[in-house]
Amino acid sequence: MRIIDYYNYIATAACIFTGAAAVIICKKNNMKDLSARATTIILAVIMFVAAFLRLYRLGAIPYGLHQDEASLGYEAYSLATYGIDRNGYPFPVYPITWGCGGGSPLMIYLNAISIRLFGSGVVKLRLLPVISGIITVFLFYLVVKELTDNAKATHKNMISLFAAFFLAVCPWHVILSRWSLDANIMPLNMCIAMYLFMLGIRTKKTYVYVLSAIAYAICMYSYGSATIVVPVHLLLLCIFCLKNKLLNLKQLIASGTVFLVVFLPLLIFYMVNYLGLPEVFAEHFTINRFTASRSGEVFIALDSSLPANLFDNLKVFFKVITIGDDTDMLCHFIPGYATLFEFTFPITFIGIYVTFKDVFSKKSKDSAEKRAIDFVWLSMLIACFIMALVIVTDISRMVMMFLPLIYFFVKGFGFVLERTARVFVVIPVLLLFAAISFSKDYFLDYNNVTGNLFMPGYGEAIERAYEIAGDERPIYSTYDGLSAPFMLALYYNDYDVNRFYKTVNYKDPYGEFRVADSFGNFIFGLPQDIDNADADNAVFVLTESEFEAFHNADSYSSEHLGGYCILHKH
């Protein structure tokens, strides 16, 4: 076992001991809260740490581009430059990308704006999730501050700073903020929507509820899982608020109407795809149909395997919220650290229990307003749990669940802090050492374990090959250790989208994921006999091992770049 594994065992035991001490000792902590000046200074330090962890060596860690990053980036480039997506549709409501989706519209269109302003490139492509991540840390501080200002907690500043600190160093959120998957801006979108709803509960003002409805509707454009989670979450939340007279019928109708108006284009898109409505092709926008469905790959089957699948999903769910699920792809986590650190779950469970008690217990002394604000988080967790039962789970699909879990961890920490004089310090100390260890492993070792996912060096190599070949000479690319390399070829070369969609040849045009084996003068896959493949005119991109095995390499000019070799004849 590694040192971090031993540390997790010790830290988990320490968290269990700390939680038990808070329950058993039950002695009010008379320590003074931090002053406003000290809070401001510490918050500034936390924000600096959050920014550093998300910006340091952004273009090099992860090294390369994931196929979904390149897909999203090229889709944005095509829309920003040519006004059509890579399938030739003008400004689609939902770009179908791989044919079955896989790139949500909000991230694509925000990147299209960024490209128009600043141009394309790996760092620029990743700046949006970085900025979103940093803002989320600060916004989460404000959210917890809003909650503690309206609660009986006597250490409001300490709890709010702890919330910001944990999110700033949380493995899930740091990794998520450093690469450009469409799901990776969902925490910010969701945090904004929930914060506005909490302000609505606090102020009782209709326009605040309407702003919250707009934010929730925008969440629907952020990632596919929102189509399940957001409606369930809002249904539970609105019922609770109506019952407790924190939301009236007029406000509900106004907010619901605005939500539907903002959501309407996406709703029509779903009706086109799932109810058979005709496609819409206008000069400046498109509502088109997927070429393939992912429902079989996403949702569990409604057959005899249902009970077993439900049980498996339940196991995965509890694994994810406790010690983490090591079967997920390494682009989402580092083994040994899980999503929220492996040792935090005892305190998280305390937070969930305390929240349930505060919200539903008849003996609760909290106001209806305070209970409703707590229920904002609880209803989101319940909605995510329901979704986790019916889909094939992974970290990206459950992206909306982790911010509520962090909130409950903070709530558990607040419980410990308020009831113990000194024991509470164990939790931030454990987190500090874990954060240092995680940062070291991430910045020193992450590239070593994610090579096949981010295809390091290939983008630069295929870009150089295109510089040599232009649009006339054929380019033969290796496929060894690569996943959908055609996407990197498109993105790194700012390839003309008109030429792409008119010349592309997909391996399976109606497959679940459309992967190209050629377009223009690019061919992905090496010929069996290179010497008879128009070798005098062709440009080849090979792995170093393929180059070493190539007997006639001396008759070519060779360039070695990023672990690949570009062969060509003048």
Side-chain angles (χ1 to χ4, degrees), residues 315-516:
K315 287 193 299 183
V316 170
F317 176 82
F318 281 105
K319 211 172 191 181
V320 168
I321 68 173
T322 54
I323 60 173
D325 182 13
D326 285 355
T327 63
D328 266 308
M329 294 175 65
L330 291 169
C331 52
H332 299 298
F333 83 107
I334 296 180
Y337 297 96
T339 46
L340 311 180
F341 293 115
E342 291 192 8
F343 56 84
T344 59
F345 68 91
I347 305 301
T348 302
F349 284 168
I350 289 176
I352 294 173
Y353 171 76
V354 169
T355 304
F356 261 102
K357 186 177 178 182
D358 288 346
V359 171
F360 295 114
S361 174
K362 294 181 180 179
K363 297 180 180 180
S364 175
K365 297 179 181 180
D366 289 340
S367 65
E369 180 182 301
K370 171 62 175 60
R371 290 188 292 113
I373 290 175
D374 265 342
F375 191 68
V376 171
W377 297 96
L378 205 54
S379 59
M380 180 60 74
L381 182 64
I382 293 169
C384 290
F385 172 72
I386 292 171
M387 183 198 68
L389 288 180
V390 300
I391 67 168
V392 180
T393 56
D394 64 30
I395 289 177
S396 62
R397 289 175 187 153
M398 293 195 289
V399 66
M400 304 181 75
M401 180 175 71
F402 297 109
L403 210 56
L405 287 176
I406 294 171
Y407 167 73
F408 293 124
F409 176 69
V410 172
K411 180 110 176 185
F413 170 76
F415 176 84
V416 173
L417 172 62
E418 298 291 342
R419 296 164 71 97
T420 60
R422 291 180 176 83
V423 177
F424 76 89
V425 78
V426 169
I427 300 173
V429 169
L430 290 174
L431 284 176
L432 180 61
F433 282 108
I436 293 171
S437 178
F438 163 73
S439 301
K440 174 186 71 69
D441 285 355
Y442 181 82
F443 289 115
L444 295 181
D445 297 331
Y446 191 65
N447 281 340
N448 296 330
V449 297
T450 57
N452 288 338
L453 292 170
F454 290 93
M455 298 176 274
Y458 178 77
E460 291 83 356
I462 200 68
E463 182 180 15
R464 176 58 184 149
Y466 190 46
E467 287 178 4
I468 296 168
D471 291 316
E472 303 303 324
R473 301 169 65 181
I475 301 170
Y476 289 92
S477 166
T478 180
Y479 222 110
D480 186 26
L482 301 173
S483 180
F486 82 99
M487 280 313 318
L488 273 68
L490 289 169
Y491 182 73
Y492 274 85
N493 290 301
D494 289 342
Y495 197 79
D496 186 330
V497 70
N498 290 288
R499 185 181 298 131
F500 168 73
Y501 85 82
K502 290 175 182 176
T503 62
V504 63
N505 182 66
Y506 291 108
K507 294 181 179 180
D508 182 356
Y510 299 101
E512 196 167 297
F513 286 92
R514 294 197 298 179
V515 177

Side-chain angles (χ1 to χ4, degrees), residues 155-277:
H155 300 87
K156 300 176 175 62
N157 291 335
M158 294 175 68
I159 294 171
S160 302
L161 288 173
F162 179 79
F165 167 67
F166 183 64
L167 189 58
V169 302
C170 172
W172 161 74
H173 200 254
V174 171
I175 293 173
L176 165 147
S177 300
R178 291 182 60 92
W179 69 291
S180 200
L181 186 67
D182 51 350
N184 292 0
I185 61 169
M186 175 58 88
L188 175 61
N189 300 332
M190 185 181 74
C191 199
I192 292 171
M194 295 171 75
Y195 184 45
L196 287 170
F197 200 102
M198 292 174 204
L199 289 179
I201 293 170
R202 174 73 68 86
T203 63
K204 313 294 191 300
K205 294 186 180 299
T206 301
Y207 79 89
V208 181
Y209 279 122
V210 168
L211 289 174
S212 174
I214 293 171
Y216 275 116
I218 291 172
C219 283
M220 304 290 277
Y221 292 85
S222 302
Y223 196 60
S225 61
T227 57
I228 299 174
V229 173
V230 169
V232 174
H233 161 68
L234 286 177
L235 177 64
L236 296 173
L237 192 52
C238 289
I239 291 172
F240 188 93
C241 290
L242 284 169
K243 183 179 178 181
N244 288 276
K245 296 181 171 53
L246 299 169
L247 175 71
N248 60 46
L249 192 58
K250 179 182 175 182
Q251 291 171 329
L252 179 64
I253 293 172
S255 301
T257 301
V258 170
F259 179 92
L260 286 174
V261 169
V262 177
F263 177 55
L264 185 60
L266 190 58
L267 178 62
I268 295 173
F269 172 80
Y270 288 137
M271 294 171 73
V272 166
N273 275 275
Y274 301 111
L275 298 181
L277 264 65

